[in-house]
Amino acid sequence: MSLSVTVFASSSSWIESDAVGQCHQVAVLDGMLHVAGMPDLHPGKGAPIGAAMLSRVLYPFLVGSDIGCGIAVFPVRLKRAVPERLAARFPDLDRAVDPAEVDEEIPAGHTESLGTVGRGNHFVELARVDAVLDHVHAERAGLTKGDLVLIVHSGSRGFGEGILRAHTAEHGAGPAADPAAYLAAHDDAVRWGSLNRRLMAARVGDAIGAEVGEAIVDECHNLVEVLDDQTYLHRKGAARGDGRDVLIAGTRGTHSFLVAAHAGAEANWSVAHGAGRKMSRADALARGKAKHTVEELRRTPVGSLVVCGDRQLLFEEAPTAYKKIERVIDDLVDFGLATPIVSTVPLVTYKTADKGRRR
């Protein structure tokens, strides 16, 4: 393979030139073979977000600090789903669980921040299946219109951050000096992220009186894979698209989409992970304050409620700060990377505890 960059987005999609520029900067790193930009591509700190990068050299900074960040989807059974009542019953997911109450092995014995969601674009959302878009795949996934699901988006919290910090303290943005040692720590962080999502799902289920089933999807989008030919496939904000089901998150005020991913080599076997930001956090904060009140942002255009006690985060994560999720999904379909299965619509989205409003 030759050094190359491919961006899987139509001419009508919102892709910043800075993000494409970062893809080309990554493409000239030693050992880099191919960079695939997803339709949710946007600039990151030193490397693009929404990209899958194939290389003969392992670069920890291309995975980033939130190793193992991903999205899990759990089926939920609940007698009545009244958003106002449920929002008030969500647990405080900023408070860690007692490790003694965890009945499975905790990867690397890292007990800090267990069962917490974190900040940024992380969330826990009770949603309803709004439309079935492919009946064969939906039947396989066990989903029908009207079903409730719990969507959990979070990662390895401070665990992954510590792994990257240890690397950058010695090597900056350079390659891993000991790939095997990095991969061992990385794999622990990926497992920790999955455990963290399961713990949060169980906490929410207990709090709202719901029966939460086993995850039907649990795919991370910040990780590196070692391929058979000893090349490294880095994904930063890109989900594994090699025959898996992936939940591609919209915003707290729009649909999300479960898709059957079938991306090939040109896309580095990857698909998008969400809508992708179109505004920086600073821009979203400034523009949001000029257009919206806090109360307006706590109830979305689709009628769902947002639990968030951090006013700045409410504006930074406003739906208008993100690209249109439908455009991202259309691009994945048009480029033959995925088939939509169902769309979901949020009922309650948890960002951070709103203790002053809890009843």
Side-chain angles (χ1 to χ4, degrees):
M1 297 176 64
S2 61
L3 296 176
S4 60
V5 173
T6 304
V7 177
F8 292 87
S10 69
S11 59
S12 60
S13 296
W14 183 295
I15 303 290
E16 294 125 303
S17 59
D18 286 350
V20 177
Q22 285 186 336
C23 287
H24 285 278
Q25 291 169 9
V26 168
V28 298
L29 292 174
D30 289 345
M32 191 60 60
L33 297 170
H34 182 53
V35 177
M38 299 295 112
D40 59 339
L41 183 72
H42 56 286
K45 295 180 179 179
I49 300 172
M53 299 151 280
L54 183 65
S55 174
R56 295 191 182 94
V57 177
L58 174 55
Y59 291 98
F61 90 99
L62 293 182
V63 177
S65 61
D66 199 7
I67 303 164
C69 183
I71 297 178
V73 181
F74 302 85
V76 170
R77 289 186 179 180
L78 189 63
K79 289 183 178 179
R80 294 188 64 198
V82 181
E84 290 79 6
R85 294 180 181 176
L86 295 173
R89 295 172 64 183
F90 261 63
D92 182 354
L93 297 177
D94 299 329
R95 179 181 55 81
V97 301
D98 183 348
E101 298 177 359
V102 179
D103 60 0
E104 60 181 286
E105 182 182 355
I106 300 172
H110 184 83
T111 58
E112 185 178 343
S113 301
L114 268 175
T116 63
V117 67
R119 289 291 194 272
N121 64 348
H122 293 166
F123 65 87
V124 178
E125 180 173 282
L126 180 67
R128 177 179 284 117
V129 174
D130 189 51
V132 173
L133 306 173
D134 186 292
H135 290 274
V136 173
H137 282 300
E139 183 177 358
R140 173 180 54 77
L143 294 174
T144 60
K145 180 178 173 62
D147 284 351
L148 297 179
V149 293
L150 195 65
I151 302 171
V152 183
H153 176 200
S154 189
S156 57
R157 308 289 280 111
F159 185 11
E161 184 179 358
I163 294 170
L164 182 64
R165 190 186 305 117
H167 169 80
T168 55
E170 295 289 331
H171 309 289
D178 185 345
Y182 171 80
L183 288 169
H186 163 282
D187 291 351
D188 279 339
V190 169
R191 287 190 290 270
W192 197 99
S194 180
L195 170 62
N196 197 42
R197 291 187 285 275
R198 296 196 302 276
L199 288 174
M200 282 188 281
R203 294 182 71 185
V204 172
D206 288 344
I208 67 174
E211 180 184 338
V212 178
E214 294 293 321
I216 58 176
V217 169
D218 187 6
E219 286 297 327
C220 61
H221 44 247
N222 288 357
L223 78 164
V224 61
E225 286 188 280
V226 183
L227 303 188
D228 291 340
D229 54 0
Q230 292 301 296
T231 55
Y232 301 97
L233 179 50
H234 312 74
R235 292 186 175 95
K236 175 66 172 171
R240 292 182 288 191
D242 51 350
R244 303 165 188 265
D245 291 346
V246 176
L247 191 286
I248 301 179
T251 73
R252 64 192 187 217
T254 65
H255 290 88
S256 294
F257 290 82
L258 181 68
V259 305
H262 39 76
E266 190 177 8
N268 279 340
W269 303 278
S270 303
V271 294
H273 80 305
R277 294 194 73 92
K278 70 175 182 180
M279 291 184 199
S280 69
R281 295 190 178 277
D283 285 346
L285 181 62
R287 296 184 187 186
K289 284 186 173 181
K291 292 182 177 181
H292 303 289
T293 67
V294 168
E295 290 305 315
E296 286 174 343
L297 292 177
R298 282 184 165 139
R299 184 176 288 276
T300 76
V302 296
S304 63
L305 298 180
V306 179
V307 179
C308 183
D310 184 332
R311 294 189 173 207
Q312 179 172 326
L313 188 62
L314 268 172
F315 289 105
E316 291 177 347
E317 288 292 305
T320 52
Y322 285 82
K323 304 177 186 184
K324 291 185 180 298
I325 184 61
E326 291 82 5
R327 180 68 264 171
V328 171
I329 299 301
D330 286 347
D331 282 350
L332 292 174
V333 172
D334 291 345
F335 283 99
L337 306 185
T339 298
I341 300 175
V342 302
S343 63
T344 66
V345 63
L347 299 176
V348 178
T349 305
Y350 177 100
K351 298 292 291 181
T352 185
D354 194 355
K355 297 175 183 177
R357 294 167 61 89
R358 290 176 63 82
R359 294 189 290 273

